[in-house]
Amino acid sequence: MASREMRRLPNLVPLAALITRELRSEKMEKPNLICTPILSQRWGSVEDAGDTAAPHRRLIYIPLPDEASRLSIFKACLRKSPVSKDVDLNALAKYSQGFSGADITEICQRACKYAIRENIEK
């Protein structure tokens, strides 16, 4: 455990090893599968955990969605939910600049839960 983070999070080493082993076995069964673990730690922490099996790994930047993409994400997230006619999805897409697709999805899910909770309380 070389890094300070590894000393603070001693369980990360076995966890990273377990995830790496699982991803390797899954990759063997499905050779066209691309596995991308998402961690809340810096990439260096994974390297410190002993994950040296992929020397050709690349970090790919995915930009935030533009307004048209955000509108599509709102529509996709709300397609199975009843939405009032006074909700302007175009305005939501415009004012949500800087939000990722995951952020927009979370907003939609919370709004649906809030509406359900509000309806039950009536």
Side-chain angles (χ1 to χ4, degrees), residues 37-110:
I38 306 297
L39 302 174
S40 61
Q41 299 296 316
R42 290 188 340 221
W43 280 97
S45 297
V46 175
E47 297 301 325
D48 292 339
D51 181 25
T52 57
H56 304 297
R57 180 181 323 152
R58 293 184 184 157
L59 184 60
I60 300 171
Y61 174 71
I62 300 173
L64 293 173
D66 61 356
E67 188 173 335
S69 299
R70 292 191 304 271
L71 178 61
S72 297
I73 294 168
F74 273 113
K75 286 180 180 178
C77 290
L78 297 171
R79 72 180 178 276
K80 294 183 180 179
S81 302
V83 179
S84 176
K85 293 188 187 297
D86 63 339
V87 174
D88 186 4
L89 294 180
N90 290 315
L92 289 174
K94 180 180 178 183
Y95 295 122
S96 60
Q97 181 161 352
F99 286 65
S100 69
D103 296 333
I104 294 170
T105 302
E106 179 70 21
I107 289 169
C108 293
Q109 289 173 351
R110 285 185 183 208

Side-chain angles (χ1 to χ4, degrees), residues 4-52:
R4 183 175 46 198
E5 291 165 341
M6 300 312 284
R7 287 189 290 277
R8 277 190 307 136
L9 303 167
N11 294 334
L12 187 60
V13 174
L15 178 62
L18 175 67
I19 291 170
T20 303
R21 187 171 53 242
E22 290 296 320
L23 291 176
R24 281 190 197 132
S25 67
E26 191 70 26
K27 183 77 174 160
M28 294 298 242
E29 293 173 15
K30 301 173 185 168
N32 294 329
L33 179 70
I34 297 174
C35 299
T36 307
I38 306 297
L39 302 174
S40 61
Q41 299 296 316
R42 290 188 340 221
W43 280 97
S45 297
V46 175
E47 297 301 325
D48 292 339
D51 181 25
T52 57

